[in-house]
Amino acid sequence: DAAVQFSREALTALARQGGPSASRARLYEVAGRAEERRGRMDAAHDAYMRALALDPNRTASRHRLEAMRAAAGLVVPSQVP
């Protein structure tokens, strides 16, 4: 998929140049969405987790992780008493 390939290349370039963590987090988020579309939920999960590790304020990544967990029948943190 072109989006996955683009994200990987851009992440490699940003990592080499010491690019801002917010930019890398955004690219991981894009990669996560692309992986979801491809049905690769494990890769999508990893990409969203990396996005959040770089930028904990990535609400889209957090929401996608919660949706993936809910779809898998796992307890979503916001549902825990």
Side-chain angles (χ1 to χ4, degrees):
D1 184 66
V4 172
Q5 184 63 32
F6 169 78
S7 296
R8 286 182 184 149
E9 290 172 5
L11 282 164
T12 300
L14 279 173
R16 250 188 263 128
Q17 297 171 2
S21 59
S23 296
R24 292 185 315 208
R26 174 73 178 122
L27 286 170
Y28 275 116
E29 195 171 272
V30 169
R33 288 182 187 148
E35 294 291 12
E36 272 193 88
R37 284 192 300 274
R38 294 173 73 192
R40 296 189 47 187
M41 299 314 218
D42 57 335
H45 180 272
D46 291 347
Y48 293 136
M49 291 297 291
R50 286 181 180 205
L52 288 171
L54 288 166
D55 182 358
N57 296 317
R58 301 273 345 149
T59 55
S61 289
R62 187 172 313 286
H63 290 164
R64 290 307 313 139
L65 282 171
E66 288 177 0
M68 290 172 69
R69 289 178 181 137
L74 302 173
V75 176
V76 178
S78 61
Q79 296 175 342
V80 177

